[in-house]
Amino acid sequence: KVKGKEMHPDSVGCVHHLFSRRCSRKRAFQIAKSFLPILEWLPNYRVKEWLISDIISGISTGLVATLQGLAYALLVAVPVGFGLYSAFFPILIYFFLGTSRHISVGPFPVVSLMVGSVVLSMAPDENFLIEGSNATGTNVTEALIDTESRDAQRVLIASTLTFLVGILQVIFGVLQIGFIVRYLADPLVGGFTTAAAFQVLVSQLNIVLNISTKNMDMFYAVIFIFQTLVETFEKIGTTNIADLVAGLLTIFVCMVVKEINDRFKHKIPIPIPIEVIVVIATGISYAADLEKKYNAGIVRSIPRGFLPPEPPNVSLFSQMIAASFSIAVVAYAIAVSVGKVYATKYDYAIDGNQEFIAFGFSNIFSGAFSCFVATTALSRTAVQESTGGKTQVAGIISAGIVLISIVALGKLLEPLQKSVLAAVVIANLKGMFMQVFDVPRLWRQNKVDAMIWVFTCIASIILGLDLGLLAGLLFGLLTVVLRVIEPEGVKILKFSSPIFYANIDGLKSSLKSTVGFDAVKVYNKRLKALRKIQKLIKKGKLKATKVGLFKNIYVSFETDEEPEDNQDPQVPTKEVEIQVDWNSELPVKVNIPKVPIHSLILDFGAVTFLDIVAVRSIKTIIKEFERIDVRVYFPVMTFFYSDNLISQLERGAFFDDTVRKDIFFLTVHDAVLYIRNQMTYSDNQDPIFEKVRISSSTFPFLPSSSHHS
């Protein structure tokens, strides 16, 4: 109705149609924004406030990304020019799909090394020996190698692996399993990245020294490390002094400047971009003609422009599927971990599942353009954020700087020594090596976490990065299981949602299936058995002694004096307390379910709400278990939840003489300690013994003076 008048049916239909269209459009736009986060933040972009900062940040980050792209290509064992592609293409897709405003997308040393492991295992030098060369046995380094074919095959393998990693990441995102990163605990990641840093260091030694060594399969980590170190020391006499000096000087300068940036970060408005400054080495190399005069190893060739896109070699998928899974997870975990740091700092949220999708499509797209797997690097992201970057506009501008290097400036970097690039890689490992000092702190705080760190690190060094990560993950999960293992006689159940009328029946059903018995049924069966036992005693078919043993049932009672044979058995007496072991074989044919527990812990740490139905039901559950001698306890996690939950229980008349507040604890651990303490001070009787009061008139052999204690 409009102003008291009914609307025409056609008008009603029209309004409904317009409203439906408006709702459907709004819904469609919401869906589009969830898949394309750029639609959320770009319309709100503050041009006057943010654009200048993003431009400055993008230029600084782009210069760093250019040099790091060249350096990290060495880890992948592909020509350095392909590192520029890997620093450019992934940003283009992440700009539209990513939810982090600050991370700088591109190569990262640990992930690059993992990709390089696959590349070297599938395309070793031995597969590209020129026919007729003097290669014998392991003397591959002195043989002639078809480097052009080898490099082409390695690029194809790296790009195919990148494509497959992208597919897996998209699948993970679509299936909403971004939670997988939760299982990569900080100690595990710390141990893994430290081991990876060690392998990166070893892999770059021969480049800094310009020593020719055999390319080993990095999956066989111990063999790779041992063989590389042995060959390096055997050929230490052939070290190229020009490359060694340039490498050591670069490492020293980079580390000193990075230390200055760290110590004076509050006083220096913009961190000194040392990676850019070392490009001066290119000018020195060119001016001094180090290649011809000192036989220095230089980049030599950087392709100008782009290669046409190529499809992945699908036939290789089966050989790299296992490695691609671990690379996909590690690359994602690194990016999300770094992204969360800055999201927390600037008070916005990142979507874990959308990040999987964003990096997945970035890697699929990049894989078609001869790139290797992209994630982010903390050092590069720190440059982007600290130089004033506000949004991914800075990221797209940094891609523009890399683009300029690809199409125009690449030739200017060809005289750059490879030892300088390797030194940049090594200098950027400082933060990962410093994680070693976390171990003593972890040991003081939590010895299990320290063991996870050490185990993962050693496993990754011995088994390789892929198997080491898996071993560390399994070890970490095992420690979790051991830390939450239920003590004997105790059952622990955790509830992670509000409890109310709609799910209380499900809670009861879950409780029965978990403990393995129905408390009400157990109680009724025991009463039935007791009635039969009473009848047998009255008929004299069961006989008790002072110690309480007759047939297969244990009965104990307490009296003030010894029973006498001449007492009248029919004189009524007071009650006596008997104890029956219900888990033993009884002299009556009643099938009584076994009760293997004496304590039940209901973990309500994540329960924030209880309605009146839930309160009454839980109180009933407590009493049902109490009467079969199973105590119930409630950990409530935090003081906030404790106060809130107990207030709700009080309003629901939960507490009385039998249900008291002393059954509530702060944590599960506190409840377990209390139970163990109670068991320590209890007597040596089986805690499963059931206590039931029966009139002594049913026991014809008891004296009239008997009474219960």
Side-chain angles (χ1 to χ4, degrees):
K1 292 185 178 181
V2 180
K3 293 184 179 180
K5 299 180 181 180
E6 293 187 359
M7 295 181 64
H8 190 277
D10 292 341
S11 300
V12 175
C14 183
V15 171
H16 178 72
H17 177 67
L18 289 174
F19 183 74
S20 300
R21 286 188 62 187
R22 182 177 298 176
C23 289
S24 61
R25 284 182 179 179
K26 185 177 181 180
R27 177 62 179 165
F29 186 64
Q30 291 294 334
I31 294 174
K33 285 198 299 185
S34 65
F35 182 71
L36 293 170
I38 190 174
L39 298 177
E40 180 74 35
W41 63 265
L42 191 59
N44 300 318
Y45 188 81
R46 304 174 189 174
V47 177
K48 293 182 179 180
E49 299 179 34
W50 294 348
L51 184 58
I52 298 300
S53 297
D54 279 343
I55 291 175
I56 296 173
S57 174
I59 293 173
S60 303
T61 307
L63 294 172
V64 174
T66 298
L67 195 62
Q68 287 189 352
L70 295 171
Y72 297 156
L74 298 176
L75 297 174
V76 185
V78 296
V80 294
F82 291 90
L84 294 179
Y85 300 155
S86 302
F88 172 73
F89 284 106
I91 302 176
L92 303 182
I93 302 301
Y94 188 86
F95 178 74
F96 295 96
L97 302 180
T99 60
S100 174
R101 303 174 191 171
H102 294 91
I103 65 172
S104 174
V105 179
F108 181 69
V110 171
V111 175
S112 298
L113 182 67
M114 295 178 75
V115 175
S117 299
V118 179
V119 170
L120 289 177
S121 66
M122 296 180 65
D125 286 341
E126 292 90 335
N127 293 358
F128 301 94
L129 298 178
I130 298 176
E131 188 175 355
S133 65
N134 62 339
T136 56
T138 59
N139 196 20
V140 178
T141 58
E142 299 178 3
L144 296 177
I145 298 173
D146 185 355
T147 56
E148 184 175 348
S149 298
R150 181 199 64 185
D151 291 345
Q153 181 65 14
R154 287 180 175 178
V155 169
L156 177 62
I157 293 171
S159 60
T160 299
L161 177 62
T162 302
F163 192 90
L164 181 56
V165 166
I167 292 175
L168 291 177
Q169 289 177 328
V170 170
I171 293 173
F172 293 158
V174 171
L175 295 179
Q176 303 284 297
I177 57 175
F179 66 86
I180 194 172
V181 74
R182 299 174 188 171
Y183 294 100
L184 300 178
D186 289 344
L188 185 146
V189 174
F192 173 77
T193 52
T194 303
F198 180 67
Q199 289 199 27
V200 170
L201 174 64
V202 173
S203 70
Q204 298 302 289
L205 284 178
N206 64 323
I207 299 176
V208 172
L209 302 175
N210 195 3
I211 293 175
S212 179
T213 58
K214 180 182 178 182
N215 286 320
M216 296 291 297
D217 176 6
M218 281 187 275
F219 273 120
Y220 303 100
V222 173
I223 298 177
F224 159 72
I225 293 171
F226 179 77
Q227 182 72 23
T228 302
L229 291 176
V230 168
E231 287 195 39
T232 298
F233 284 110
E234 284 179 350
K235 299 182 178 181
I236 195 74
T238 64
T239 298
N240 186 290
I241 301 300
D243 285 327
L244 175 61
V245 171
L248 293 178
L249 188 60
T250 301
I251 292 173
F252 175 76
V253 173
C254 284
M255 287 190 170
V256 169
V257 174
K258 285 179 180 293
E259 185 66 23
I260 293 174
N261 286 338
D262 289 340
R263 290 196 177 188
F264 301 99
K265 58 185 176 182
H266 299 298
K267 298 181 179 180
I268 303 176
I270 299 176
I272 303 171
I274 187 57
E275 287 90 349
V276 177
I277 292 178
V278 298
V279 176
I280 297 172
T282 304
I284 297 175
S285 175
Y286 176 78
D289 198 8
L290 296 179
E291 181 188 17
K292 291 183 179 179
K293 292 183 179 180
Y294 300 98
N295 197 29
I298 64 172
V299 172
R300 186 172 285 111
S301 177
I302 296 180
R304 178 178 294 182
F306 297 99
L307 298 176
E310 292 185 7
N313 188 344
V314 180
S315 63
L316 300 176
F317 280 4
S318 60
Q319 302 177 52
M320 56 178 62
I321 183 64
S324 63
F325 182 88
S326 58
I327 293 173
V329 173
V330 171
Y332 167 80
I334 292 170
V336 171
S337 299
V338 174
K340 283 185 176 180
V341 170
Y342 292 99
T344 302
K345 181 177 180 179
Y346 290 97
D347 193 25
Y348 67 92
I350 62 174
D351 186 336
N353 293 310
Q354 179 62 26
E355 287 296 292
F356 250 140
I357 293 174
F359 277 101
F361 279 113
S362 293
N363 284 317
I364 290 174
F365 179 71
S366 302
F369 288 93
S370 304
C371 300
F372 47 88
V373 178
T375 175
T376 188
L378 182 57
S379 60
R380 200 168 56 247
T381 299
V383 171
Q384 180 165 315
E385 182 267 340
S386 59
T387 51
K390 305 296 183 184
T391 66
Q392 281 301 327
V393 170
I396 208 70
I397 292 174
S398 70
I401 300 300
V402 178
L403 175 62
I404 294 173
S405 301
I406 293 173
V407 300
L409 302 181
K411 288 292 180 182
L412 299 179
L413 296 174
E414 289 182 353
L416 182 62
Q417 292 170 269
K418 289 185 177 180
S419 64
V420 172
L421 293 177
V424 170
V425 173
I426 294 173
N428 278 288
L429 300 176
K430 176 191 172 186
M432 286 184 273
F433 280 125
M434 294 298 290
Q435 294 175 134
V436 172
F437 296 101
D438 291 341
V439 177
R441 176 182 58 81
L442 284 174
W443 184 259
R444 291 192 298 270
Q445 295 176 349
N446 191 312
K447 291 181 173 55
V448 175
D449 285 344
M451 291 171 60
I452 293 174
W453 196 105
V454 173
F455 179 88
T456 305
C457 184
I458 295 175
S460 298
I461 291 175
I462 295 176
L463 303 176
L465 297 179
D466 285 39
L467 294 178
L469 177 64
L470 177 61
L473 180 61
L474 294 177
F475 181 77
L477 292 176
L478 177 62
T479 62
V480 171
V481 173
L482 292 177
R483 279 186 278 187
V484 298
I485 191 168
E486 297 169 340
E488 184 178 358
V490 179
K491 181 64 68 174
I492 304 173
L493 286 84
K494 180 178 178 63
F495 300 95
S496 303
S497 65
I499 302 175
F500 56 106
Y501 68 91
N503 64 2
I504 190 65
D505 289 336
L507 183 149
K508 294 178 181 178
S509 176
S510 175
L511 182 60
K512 291 177 184 178
S513 62
T514 303
V515 299
F517 58 85
D518 184 333
V520 175
K521 185 177 181 180
V522 170
Y523 180 73
N524 291 335
K525 289 286 187 179
R526 289 183 178 183
L527 287 181
K528 182 178 180 180
L530 282 173
R531 285 194 292 269
K532 290 191 174 185
I533 291 173
Q534 291 174 6
K535 291 180 180 179
L536 292 175
I537 291 175
K538 285 181 179 180
K539 295 178 180 179
K541 294 183 178 180
L542 289 180
K543 185 177 181 181
T545 65
K546 178 67 170 68
V547 296
L549 175 64
F550 58 97
K551 276 195 175 181
N552 292 324
I553 183 169
Y554 289 89
V555 175
S556 63
F557 55 90
E558 298 180 17
T559 63
D560 288 341
E561 58 186 55
E562 293 292 329
E564 298 179 4
D565 293 338
N566 58 357
Q567 291 286 348
D568 184 357
Q570 300 301 325
V571 176
T573 64
K574 300 179 181 179
E575 289 183 337
V576 296
E577 184 179 83
I578 69 169
Q579 296 178 326
V580 180
D581 182 1
W582 294 108
N583 286 336
S584 66
E585 184 178 352
L586 300 177
V588 292
K589 294 181 179 180
V590 179
N591 185 19
I592 303 176
K594 302 299 182 183
V595 180
I597 63 174
H598 54 74
S599 301
L600 175 64
I601 299 177
L602 302 181
D603 185 358
F604 277 18
V607 177
T608 57
F609 171 73
L610 292 167
D611 71 353
I612 190 64
V613 175
V615 171
R616 292 173 180 172
S617 298
I618 292 171
K619 185 173 183 178
T620 300
I621 289 172
I622 294 174
K623 294 190 173 183
E624 289 173 353
F625 277 93
E626 288 280 352
R627 65 186 183 182
I628 61 171
D629 208 25
V630 176
R631 290 278 292 165
V632 184
Y633 303 93
F634 294 86
V636 287
M637 190 59 70
T638 66
F639 289 111
F640 170 76
Y641 283 148
S642 175
D643 294 340
N644 185 40
L645 207 62
I646 291 178
S647 297
Q648 295 178 32
L649 294 173
E650 286 177 336
R651 289 193 296 270
F654 182 78
F655 299 104
D656 56 24
D657 293 339
T658 57
V659 180
R660 300 184 301 273
K661 292 183 180 180
D662 60 0
I663 62 175
F664 287 86
F665 295 86
L666 191 62
T667 66
V668 173
H669 182 65
D670 293 332
V672 171
L673 290 179
Y674 175 81
I675 293 169
R676 287 180 173 174
N677 185 59
Q678 290 295 103
M679 297 305 297
T680 300
Y681 287 99
S682 65
D683 55 26
N684 294 325
Q685 296 176 356
D686 190 328
I688 309 298
F689 278 18
E690 175 70 13
K691 298 181 179 180
V692 182
R693 297 184 183 279
I694 304 177
S695 172
S696 63
S697 61
T698 61
F699 295 87
F701 47 84
L702 292 178
S704 59
S705 60
S706 297
H707 65 277
H708 67 281
S709 61

